[in-house]
Coordinates of all heavy atoms in Angstrom, one line a residue:
P45 N -17.8 -22.1 -19.0 CA -18.3 -21.2 -18.0 C -17.4 -21.4 -16.7 O -17.0 -22.5 -16.4 CB -19.7 -21.7 -17.7 CG -19.7 -23.2 -18.2 CD -18.7 -23.2 -19.4
K46 N -17.2 -20.3 -16.1 CA -16.3 -20.4 -14.9 C -17.2 -20.9 -13.7 O -18.4 -20.7 -13.7 CB -15.6 -19.1 -14.6 CG -16.6 -18.0 -14.1 CD -15.7 -16.7 -13.9 CE -16.6 -15.5 -13.6 NZ -15.8 -14.3 -13.5
P47 N -16.6 -21.5 -12.7 CA -17.3 -22.0 -11.6 C -18.0 -20.8 -10.9 O -17.5 -19.7 -10.9 CB -16.2 -22.6 -10.7 CG -15.1 -22.9 -11.6 CD -15.1 -21.9 -12.7
T48 N -19.1 -21.1 -10.3 CA -19.9 -20.1 -9.6 C -19.1 -19.5 -8.4 O -18.7 -20.3 -7.6 CB -21.2 -20.6 -9.2 OG1 -22.0 -21.0 -10.3 CG2 -22.0 -19.5 -8.4
S49 N -18.8 -18.3 -8.5 CA -18.1 -17.6 -7.4 C -18.4 -16.2 -7.5 O -18.8 -15.7 -8.5 CB -16.6 -17.9 -7.4 OG -16.0 -17.3 -8.6
I50 N -18.1 -15.4 -6.5 CA -18.2 -14.0 -6.5 C -16.8 -13.4 -6.8 O -15.8 -13.8 -6.2 CB -18.8 -13.4 -5.2 CG1 -17.9 -13.7 -4.0 CG2 -20.2 -13.9 -5.0 CD1 -18.2 -12.8 -2.8
D51 N -16.8 -12.5 -7.7 CA -15.5 -11.9 -8.1 C -15.3 -10.6 -7.3 O -15.3 -9.5 -7.8 CB -15.5 -11.5 -9.6 CG -15.4 -12.8 -10.4 OD1 -14.7 -13.7 -10.1 OD2 -16.2 -12.8 -11.5
V52 N -15.1 -10.8 -6.0 CA -14.8 -9.7 -5.1 C -13.3 -9.8 -4.6 O -12.9 -10.9 -4.2 CB -15.7 -9.7 -3.8 CG1 -15.3 -8.6 -2.8 CG2 -17.1 -9.5 -4.3
W53 N -12.6 -8.7 -4.7 CA -11.2 -8.7 -4.3 C -11.0 -7.6 -3.3 O -11.4 -6.5 -3.6 CB -10.2 -8.6 -5.5 CG -8.8 -8.9 -5.1 CD1 -7.9 -8.1 -4.4 CD2 -8.2 -10.2 -5.3 NE1 -6.7 -8.8 -4.3 CE2 -6.9 -10.0 -4.8 CE3 -8.5 -11.4 -5.9 CZ2 -5.9 -11.1 -4.8 CZ3 -7.6 -12.4 -6.0 CH2 -6.3 -12.2 -5.4
P54 N -10.4 -7.8 -2.1 CA -10.0 -9.1 -1.6 C -11.2 -10.0 -1.2 O -12.2 -9.5 -0.9 CB -9.1 -8.8 -0.4 CG -9.6 -7.4 0.1 CD -10.0 -6.7 -1.2
K55 N -11.0 -11.3 -1.2 CA -12.1 -12.2 -0.9 C -12.6 -11.9 0.5 O -11.9 -11.9 1.5 CB -11.6 -13.6 -1.0 CG -12.8 -14.6 -0.9 CD -12.4 -16.0 -1.3 CE -13.6 -16.9 -1.4 NZ -13.2 -18.3 -1.8
P56 N -13.9 -11.8 0.6 CA -14.5 -11.6 2.0 C -14.3 -12.8 2.9 O -14.1 -13.9 2.4 CB -16.0 -11.4 1.7 CG -16.1 -11.0 0.2 CD -14.9 -11.7 -0.4
R57 N -14.3 -12.6 4.2 CA -14.1 -13.7 5.1 C -15.2 -14.7 5.1 O -14.9 -15.9 5.1 CB -14.0 -13.1 6.5 CG -12.8 -12.1 6.7 CD -11.5 -12.8 6.9 NE -11.5 -13.5 8.2 CZ -11.2 -12.9 9.4 NH1 -10.9 -11.6 9.4 NH2 -11.1 -13.6 10.5
T58 N -16.4 -14.3 5.0 CA -17.6 -15.2 5.0 C -18.6 -14.8 3.9 O -19.0 -13.6 3.9 CB -18.3 -15.3 6.4 OG1 -17.3 -15.6 7.4 CG2 -19.4 -16.3 6.4
V59 N -18.9 -15.7 3.1 CA -19.9 -15.4 2.0 C -21.0 -16.5 2.0 O -20.7 -17.7 2.1 CB -19.2 -15.5 0.6 CG1 -20.2 -15.2 -0.5 CG2 -18.1 -14.5 0.5

Side-chain angles (χ1 to χ4, degrees):
K46 67 181 174 185
T48 299
S49 66
I50 60 163
D51 291 318
V52 174
W53 195 280
K55 189 169 187 177
R57 298 281 291 277
T58 304
V59 179

